[in-house]
Amino acid sequence: MRNVIFCAPFAQFPATRRFARALAQLEGVRLLGIFQQPPTGEAQRWFADTAIVADTLDSRQLIAAATRLSAQHGTIFRAVGILENMQDALADVRAHFGLPGPTPATTARFRDKALMKTTLARAGLPVAEHRLLESADDARWFARKHGFPIILKPPAGAGCKATYRCDDPTQLEAALRESQPSKARAVLAEEFLQGSEYSFETICIEGIPRFVSISRYFPGPLEVVRNPHLQWVCLLPRDISGPQWEAARAMGLAAVTRLGMGTGLTHMEWFERPDGRLAIGEIAMRPPGAQIVSLMGWAHDTDMYRAWARAVIDHAFDGPWERKYAVACCYLRGAGRGRIVAVDGLDEAQRAIGSLVVDSKLPEVGAMKSDSYEGDGYAILRHPDTATVAAAARTLIETVRVRYSG
């Protein structure tokens, strides 16, 4: 029996449960969990044992918990997790026990955004202009040199959290008061990449990319975070094999290879500038969020959660799979705060595009407004024709409105 440790702060989130279930269903796996709270409900059945720690970002606590689980169940086979901010600690666990998987050095190239961009730029790949700030004066110099808008973010941040867009000196000073860059707590400054924003996903097996997917955001994630009332869409075009995508595929594959990805999923955000030039935003060595793993499954008629589990546990790839459909996820949110009091337009949307909906989670009246950029619900649309899916997604987000009490 192979002892596989799965680490996450909490087991109750839907995405966490999907990945854990995929691991538990692999042949010959005994799934062991390390969490900050015990799993409840259905998730309890997937774990043969769990260890509880105060902080899953603390390598020492993870190593101590894994040692206890190993004493009970035998040698550890793999240690895995899906969250961006846990990758450093997981790499330390693997190094301690001599386990396969990304090493601390590899993880650092993906997690440290300044190191990532420097590594990619030295390889001749296009990235945003950037500088690691150790003082407010560093930030002011960067703004004078590159102009506004600029972005300030933690070098090892996850998603758009603690990310500031500064459009003028006043906003820059406000961001500096919040972030307080110093030698001990550096902040990464970047030019604000403008244009169309996409993502690029891979499954890699022992350093070789075996699967590629491309997604398009409407609008981009930073704008979504800055405007919590916006309903937004992630679209997977059906055909990503033509000349339109050649440069993006080459750029993405080169980036993953240059950063030293071994085995697992990667998620890269990239831009097409107004003049047609491409640029890499950043890359993560973990599965994408925002339902993209589910969307890839719907597009290829396969279980992408199992594909991830097969990669990280068995170092195996069961594809290739035909990309049969275009798919879109519409994230349902609205202006205001407080509790959800109504969801308008559902009947009208059902009549217009209901036949294309393959999965949904509707906002629940009475629930508090979510602080997640994914909103209070979603609907996934699928059809063989990309234009049909794009038009239906636009109809959905323009028709459905979530209303709140405040």
Side-chain angles (χ1 to χ4, degrees):
M1 188 65 71
R2 300 177 297 175
N3 293 312
V4 172
I5 290 180
F6 179 70
C7 301
F10 310 104
Q12 75 269 26
F13 296 112
T16 305
R17 294 201 304 267
R18 293 186 188 112
F19 286 104
R21 182 174 58 228
L23 293 170
Q25 292 175 344
L26 289 183
E27 184 177 353
V29 163
R30 178 190 288 121
L31 190 58
L32 310 172
I34 301 178
F35 301 104
Q36 290 174 197
Q37 293 179 2
T40 59
E42 183 185 16
Q44 289 178 299
R45 297 190 289 105
W46 305 330
F47 293 93
D49 198 359
T50 58
I52 306 304
V53 298
D55 183 3
T56 49
L57 302 183
D58 185 333
S59 302
R60 294 170 299 177
Q61 294 185 42
L62 292 189
I63 290 169
T67 300
R68 295 195 299 271
L69 290 170
S70 179
Q72 290 289 322
H73 302 283
T75 302
I76 299 167
F77 183 71
R78 298 280 193 270
V80 299
I82 59 170
L83 297 182
E84 170 81 3
N85 56 4
M86 288 198 64
Q87 298 307 313
D88 294 322
L90 282 167
D92 290 340
V93 172
R94 287 189 289 265
H96 179 86
F97 290 98
L99 304 179
T103 65
T106 302
T107 302
R109 287 193 294 273
F110 282 86
R111 285 280 293 144
D112 185 326
K113 307 310 181 188
L115 176 60
M116 170 197 296
K117 288 180 169 59
T118 299
T119 302
L120 296 176
R122 286 175 177 169
L125 294 169
V127 297
E129 294 289 343
H130 60 283
R131 179 186 174 94
L132 204 57
L133 310 177
E134 296 183 349
S135 69
D137 285 341
D138 286 347
R140 297 177 188 116
W141 174 88
F142 186 87
R144 286 195 301 270
K145 180 176 181 180
H146 298 287
F148 291 101
I150 63 172
I151 302 296
L152 302 187
K153 63 171 70 170
C160 295
K161 292 183 178 179
T163 297
Y164 305 91
R165 171 178 164 171
C166 306
D167 295 317
D168 55 44
T170 300
Q171 291 183 0
L172 175 60
E173 294 303 323
L176 290 172
R177 286 193 293 273
E178 291 285 337
S179 57
Q180 297 184 357
S182 65
K183 289 186 177 181
R185 188 185 175 194
V187 173
L188 182 64
E190 296 179 356
E191 66 165 315
F192 177 65
L193 291 172
Q194 302 189 58
S196 302
E197 188 167 358
Y198 301 80
S199 76
F200 180 90
E201 281 70 46
T202 71
I203 297 177
C204 295
I205 306 295
E206 297 178 354
I208 300 175
R210 303 291 300 277
F211 168 87
V212 165
S213 179
I214 293 174
S215 310
R216 171 82 185 273
Y217 300 124
F218 300 94
L222 186 57
E223 186 175 351
V224 168
V225 170
R226 284 166 53 90
N227 298 280
H229 64 283
L230 288 178
Q231 298 192 134
W232 61 289
V233 174
C234 180
L235 171 70
L236 277 63
R238 179 180 179 181
D239 184 5
I240 57 170
S241 62
Q244 174 187 358
W245 306 107
E246 283 182 2
R249 291 171 69 95
M251 178 180 69
L253 293 173
V256 169
T257 302
R258 183 65 183 85
L259 291 174
M261 182 63 190
T263 296
L265 265 71
T266 65
H267 168 60
M268 180 179 86
E269 293 181 342
W270 61 279
F271 291 78
E272 182 179 14
R273 299 175 189 262
D275 62 6
R277 291 180 300 135
L278 307 185
I280 296 169
E282 55 188 51
I283 312 177
M285 52 178 296
R286 44 90 179 159
Q291 305 289 335
I292 294 176
V293 176
S294 294
L295 297 180
M296 294 190 299
W298 285 112
H300 295 86
D301 251 351
T302 194
D303 183 348
M304 294 303 298
Y305 295 95
R306 175 178 169 80
W308 168 81
R310 286 277 286 150
V312 296
I313 304 306
D314 299 328
H315 286 201
F317 177 66
D318 296 328
W321 306 284
E322 179 186 357
R323 192 156 167 132
K324 300 177 181 179
Y325 302 96
V327 184
C329 187
C330 304
Y331 306 90
L332 305 177
R333 320 188 303 170
R337 56 189 178 185
R339 295 188 181 276
I340 299 169
V341 296
V343 185
D344 302 323
L346 287 175
D347 290 342
E348 182 181 349
Q350 174 66 31
R351 289 191 297 269
I353 52 90
S355 62
L356 276 64
V357 177
V358 293
D359 187 22
S360 65
K361 175 185 174 295
L362 298 180
E364 182 181 348
V365 172
M368 292 296 297
K369 182 175 184 176
S370 171
D371 61 359
S372 167
Y373 65 91
E374 294 186 40
D376 296 296
Y378 64 86
I380 296 176
L381 315 177
R382 183 172 78 161
H383 189 275
D385 180 61
T386 300
T388 299
V389 171
R394 188 177 304 110
T395 296
L396 182 59
I397 63 172
E398 290 176 354
T399 304
V400 175
R401 289 288 179 266
V402 185
R403 291 192 283 125
Y404 304 90
S405 58

